[in-house]
Amino acid sequence: MTGLRYVYAVCRPFGTPLQSQLSGVAGDPPRALTHHGLVAVVSHVPERDFAEEPLHRHLEDLDWLTETARAHQGVIDALTTVTTPLPLRLGTVFRDDSGVRMMMEAREEDFQRTLDRLEGRVEWGVKVYAESEQRESSRPVQKAASGRDYLRQRRQQTRSHEEMWQKAEHFSTRLHENLSAFAEDSRLHPPQNPALSKATGRNVLNAAYLVPRANSEEFVELVDRTKGEVPGMRIELTGPWAAYSFAGEPT
């Protein structure tokens, strides 16, 4: 099959084959391209969609982007079960195999150093949502009998919200400290926009943790023990993922 080369990840050679039915971006199954002890996992994609100009247009198309990201992530997830992949950016495309090898040659030292650091490790995501605000807003509002009553109700609401955010901040800070002490590394990401994530409640912690695969079960148990600990706090655990948040240089 002809076409451009779409690169999903770089990793070390792995003995376990990927699933035979695995389909990559644009429906082409991924394959391994070896160079100097590194493996780039690639597939063929059509130039009409992935050359520079059409790719730029497609990235503005939410449906196309969602489908492509899902296929990209499917390959990364499959790799994560058999090796430690270093994921590349969505839409990383080269003209041919030679272009991929040149990229691997130029970045070989960085790739080797990062793979050494990530070997045998996975990323877990933890989000905390404060749901008290939603429950407060669902309560029927008592009609104020006077201006004084109205001001009193407003003061009570303000005090209640301040207490809720103090509780949420304390809980999420303590949780992050405990998880960071267990993990080898951690990253704090900006809170998610509820309009985009569609998640209920307010996101007060959005963090990633780098954990040895062998310790993942203990990490999950550590998170699970905190669920229900504080009313109004909802914890969401995702993973294990390839170490996207830790693919750059350590901070």
Side-chain angles (χ1 to χ4, degrees):
M1 180 179 178
T2 59
L4 304 176
R5 305 302 187 268
Y6 186 102
V7 188
Y8 301 90
V10 173
C11 52
R12 299 264 169 72
F14 51 95
T16 306
L18 296 173
Q19 305 98 304
S20 58
Q21 73 276 17
L22 182 63
S23 178
V25 171
D28 190 52
R31 62 184 177 88
L33 182 63
T34 303
H35 184 71
H36 287 188
L38 291 173
V39 172
V41 178
V42 307
S43 63
H44 295 82
V45 290
E47 190 168 353
R48 67 177 181 274
D49 290 322
F50 287 88
E52 185 175 354
E53 288 190 12
L55 177 59
H56 182 74
R57 290 196 304 271
H58 280 313
L59 291 177
E60 303 297 324
D61 181 342
L62 185 58
D63 291 338
W64 186 93
L65 185 60
T66 299
E67 181 181 353
T68 301
R70 186 179 294 118
H72 177 101
Q73 186 61 46
V75 174
I76 300 297
D77 289 345
L79 282 169
T80 304
T81 66
V82 300
T83 188
T84 301
L86 177 55
L88 299 190
R89 188 188 302 273
L90 181 76
T92 299
V93 178
F94 293 88
R95 171 62 56 184
D96 50 25
D97 287 355
S98 177
V100 178
R101 288 193 171 98
M102 288 176 63
M103 177 272 294
M104 296 169 71
E105 178 86 27
R107 300 177 61 185
E108 182 176 1
E109 289 187 8
D110 288 342
F111 285 148
Q112 294 284 12
R113 184 167 54 249
T114 303
L115 286 168
D116 283 342
R117 183 164 54 87
L118 300 182
E119 184 66 33
R121 293 158 178 82
V122 292
E123 176 175 327
W124 289 92
V126 176
K127 296 183 179 69
V128 175
Y129 296 91
E131 298 186 306
S132 301
E133 186 178 51
Q134 185 178 8
R135 289 201 294 271
E136 286 284 343
S137 64
S138 64
R139 295 177 183 175
V141 178
Q142 248 184 345
K143 187 174 181 180
S146 65
R148 180 175 295 178
D149 285 341
Y150 173 79
L151 292 175
R152 178 177 52 79
Q153 289 179 12
R154 292 294 297 168
R155 282 196 298 268
Q156 288 176 344
Q157 290 174 356
T158 300
R159 185 162 55 246
S160 175
H161 288 162
E162 288 175 350
E163 290 173 354
M164 180 190 69
W165 294 126
Q166 288 176 0
K167 179 177 67 174
E169 183 178 355
H170 177 74
F171 174 76
S172 59
T173 298
R174 181 165 52 87
L175 176 62
H176 178 61
E177 289 174 350
N178 291 340
L179 297 181
S180 296
F182 182 90
E184 290 190 353
D185 201 356
S186 64
R187 296 284 187 274
L188 282 172
H189 298 306
Q192 285 192 322
N193 184 334
L196 299 177
S197 67
K198 306 300 183 184
T200 59
R202 180 171 173 179
N203 184 208
V204 293
L205 177 67
N206 182 14
Y209 302 90
L210 184 68
V211 179
R213 189 184 296 273
N215 297 344
S216 284
E217 185 174 347
E218 191 175 350
F219 181 83
V220 172
E221 290 174 355
L222 181 61
V223 175
D224 284 344
R225 285 200 297 270
T226 66
K227 293 181 178 179
E229 186 177 300
V230 177
M233 299 297 116
R234 177 167 56 86
I235 302 175
E236 181 182 287
L237 174 70
T238 59
W241 308 109
Y244 282 98
S245 299
F246 307 92
E249 289 300 311
T251 57

